[in-house]
């Protein structure tokens, strides 16, 4: 291990064998944290080549369970988001594409920070279960085209240990380390094709577009090197996605979107990602046809029916689809009002996410209990005209003290301008193989 650290410190390129040696040794506990910390810092400072990043991804993927989905018929397509505030995309998108014939065997995680993850959000639904046997998971996907379960703790074990170390050694924000971390888990969970939603902007991991583009290119390359066709879509996180931030509130917004009444930005994101998923899985010939199919699935009610089937398949009570009061409800509401006249020029997603976390919608540390009922619903988005006293957002809360800590940061998230303000960009570019298509 000493020689490997020294080689990377001196800007050498690590071989596949050297990378496997360090990943296997660290997973088994033979190599100590302090040596891996030193290597991570050398990687952080000197960066990794494309070959090194692919080899690191493969070694981390092989460090845990590899999920075998070969009993599932058809081309399996998966989607991953690098994470954002109000990102309830999976809940609407998966039934949408499944209703158009795509096959999605989705493994999702719980959230840390901002709001819950997909699994937490789905647990707002009475009796809904995301833990199931592999047989039941495979049967559901074969019969219904979709299922969502919690991701096994045994997937990409080396990544879990390394991520914990990166977190305390200031080595998280390195493109190769992020790309290999995300892709090792995605590739271990067995899909044939992959859509990546890489977020950029204030509320995202990659605040700068140029960094998001580098990350997207790196992940697409890793996917291609491992024979999994991968398309990345770089999308904006300059303001929260849609209007709802908080677990059961986001479920409502996802269902409203399937009913054709969702916020425009969120609907557009689902349609764009969905059209590419249909294209990749050969359910549509090209983006235009994919878009048309997705729109039709919303208009005809087919996507909503698929969602209902999904809830029933996973043991949930679907009655909430027609009566949202059956989901967890916060006891109180507080209106955040505009202190100015003009146009909303900014809603800092990160501040809204922090506010939701203070209310109890997200975890400050692993294992924290969530309050699934609380959160924020934005009434105004960037570009909207406002007058003093207009309601900007409604905070759903259960605890006065938590409201007090959340209120200030939510109010501070809003900025105004006297001039008209354009809506922030939602879709920046599409990265596929060696092409980048910029979207205007
Ligand atoms: N998400 C991951 O899974 N890994 C990273 O390194 C960053 C975000």
């Amino acid at each position: 291990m000493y020689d490997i650290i020294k080689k990377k410190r001196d800007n050498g390129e690590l071989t596949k064998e050297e990378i496997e040696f360090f990943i296997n040794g660290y997973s088994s506990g033979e190599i100590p944290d302090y040596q891996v910390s030193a290597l991570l810092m050398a990687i952080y400072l000197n960066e990794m080549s494309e070959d090194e990043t692919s080899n690191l991804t493969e070694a981390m993927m092989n460090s845990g369970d590899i999920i075998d989905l070969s009993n599932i018929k058809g081309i399996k397509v998966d989607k991953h988001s690098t994470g954002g505030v109000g990102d309830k995309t999976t809940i609407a998108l998966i039934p949408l594409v499944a209703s158009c014939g795509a096959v999605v065997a989705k493994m999702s995680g719980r959230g840390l920070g901002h709001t819950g993850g997909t699994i937490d959000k789905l647990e707002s639904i009475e009796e809904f279960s995301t833990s199931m046997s592999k047989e039941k998971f495979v049967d559901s996907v074969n019969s219904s085209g979709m299922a969502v379960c919690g991701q096994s703790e045994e997937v990409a074990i080396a990544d879990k240990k390394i991520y914990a170390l990166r977190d305390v050694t200031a080595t998280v924000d390195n493109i190769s380390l992020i790309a290999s971390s995300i892709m090792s888990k995605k590739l271990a969970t067995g899909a044939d094709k992959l859509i990546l939603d890489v977020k950029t902007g204030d509320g995202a991991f990659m605040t700068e577009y140029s960094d998001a583009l580098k990350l997207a290119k790196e992940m697409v390359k890793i996917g291609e090197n491992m024979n999994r066709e991968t398309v990345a879509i770089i999308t904006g996180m300059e303001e929260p996605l849609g209007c709802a931030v908080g677990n059961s509130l986001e479920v409502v917004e996802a269902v409203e979107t399937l009913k054709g009444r969702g916020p425009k930005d969120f609907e557009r994101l689902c349609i764009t990602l969905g059209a590419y998923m249909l294209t990749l899985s050969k359910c549509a010939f090209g983006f235009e046809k994919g878009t048309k199919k997705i729109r039709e699935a919303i208009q005809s009610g087919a996507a909503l029916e698929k969602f209902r089937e999904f809830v029933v398949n996973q043991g949930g009570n679907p009655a909430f689809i027609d009566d949202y009061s059956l989901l967890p409800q916060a006891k109180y509401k507080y209106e955040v009002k505009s202190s100015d006249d003009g146009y909303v020029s900014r809603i800092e997603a990160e501040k809204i996410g922090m506010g939701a976390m203070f209310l109890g919608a997200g975890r400050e540390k692993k294992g924290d209990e969530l309050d699934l009922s609380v959160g924020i619903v934005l009434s105004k988005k960037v570009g909207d005209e406002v007058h003093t006293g207009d309601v900007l957002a409604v905070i759903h809360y259960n605890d006065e003290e938590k409201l007090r800590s959340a209120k200030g940061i939510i109010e501070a998230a809003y900025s105004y301008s006297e001039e008209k303000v354009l809506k922030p960009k939602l879709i920046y570019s599409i990265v596929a193989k060696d092409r980048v298509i910029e979207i205007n």
Side-chain angles (χ1 to χ4, degrees), residues 134-423:
K134 185 168 171 222
E135 290 69 33
K136 164 95 173 74
F137 183 66
V138 168
D139 284 352
S140 294
V141 183
N142 275 333
S143 63
S144 183
M146 68 171 291
V148 177
C149 73
Q151 186 172 296
S152 150
E153 286 291 311
E154 304 302 312
V155 162
I157 289 170
D159 172 64
K160 275 192 196 74
K161 282 188 82 174
I162 290 175
Y163 193 85
L165 210 50
R166 285 167 58 206
D167 213 16
V168 292
T169 55
T171 51
V172 168
D173 53 341
N174 170 275
I175 304 253
S176 293
L177 293 176
I178 297 175
S180 55
S181 166
I182 293 175
M183 292 300 282
S184 63
K185 290 177 289 234
K186 280 286 120 187
L187 296 170
T189 51
D192 305 307
K193 315 267 178 171
L194 198 51
I195 284 282
L196 302 167
D197 178 4
V198 179
K199 304 281 190 199
T200 184
D202 171 63
F205 230 109
M206 296 286 141
T207 47
E208 296 301 322
Y209 172 68
S210 55
D211 289 334
L213 182 60
K214 269 194 226 154
L215 176 63
K217 284 182 175 170
E218 196 120 1
M219 290 196 288
V220 168
K221 249 185 251 155
I222 295 171
E224 297 294 331
N225 289 346
M226 308 277 289
N227 285 325
R228 314 280 181 95
E229 196 179 350
T230 302
V231 171
I233 305 189
I234 302 182
T235 68
M237 197 22 82
E238 289 298 349
E239 63 176 344
L241 181 61
C243 298
V245 181
N247 300 284
S248 63
L249 297 169
E250 292 188 39
V251 171
V252 171
E253 188 160 278
V255 175
E256 281 291 286
T257 304
L258 294 174
K259 291 178 180 172
R261 304 194 294 238
K264 286 288 153 255
D265 60 341
F266 179 56
E267 184 187 72
R268 180 166 171 230
L269 181 71
C270 290
I271 291 173
T272 307
L273 293 171
Y276 278 101
M277 286 175 88
L278 293 186
T279 309
L280 276 181
S281 54
K282 308 220 179 315
C283 295
F285 292 99
F287 178 72
E288 302 298 330
K289 295 216 167 75
T291 302
K292 189 161 174 276
K293 267 191 143 177
I294 297 272
R295 285 192 190 283
E296 280 167 7
I298 298 176
Q299 274 153 17
S300 68
L304 185 67
E305 277 322 298
K306 182 55 74 180
F307 180 76
R308 205 180 290 273
E309 182 185 325
F310 159 61
V311 171
V312 172
N313 269 348
Q314 304 216 189
N317 178 358
F320 81 91
I321 294 170
D322 306 304
D323 178 2
Y324 299 137
S325 71
L326 298 173
L327 289 173
Q329 305 280 314
K331 283 199 227 95
Y332 312 110
K333 288 182 189 157
Y334 174 87
E335 292 180 339
V336 178
K337 297 200 171 147
S338 172
S339 56
D340 227 327
D341 292 328
Y343 296 87
V344 177
S345 59
R346 202 162 174 216
I347 308 173
E348 288 175 65
E350 194 177 358
K351 289 199 170 125
I352 297 288
M354 294 295 283
M357 189 176 77
F358 293 157
L359 292 169
R363 293 184 180 84
E364 286 186 53
K365 54 184 189 323
K366 220 174 155 188
D368 280 354
E369 279 268 319
L370 296 184
D371 182 342
L372 297 171
S373 67
V374 298
I376 302 149
V377 180
L378 308 181
S379 319
K380 300 285 180 195
K381 298 263 290 179
V382 172
D384 288 347
E385 188 175 1
V386 289
H387 298 285
T388 307
D390 282 357
V391 177
L392 297 175
V394 179
I395 301 177
H396 295 236
Y397 71 102
N398 284 319
D399 181 319
E400 288 290 341
E401 203 161 305
K402 288 186 177 163
L403 173 70
R404 266 195 296 281
S405 46
K407 207 170 74 171
I409 197 163
I410 295 168
E411 282 164 349
Y414 276 82
S415 309
Y416 311 90
S417 156
E418 284 177 10
E419 311 291 323
K420 263 197 164 188
V421 174
L422 291 178
K423 293 266 171 209

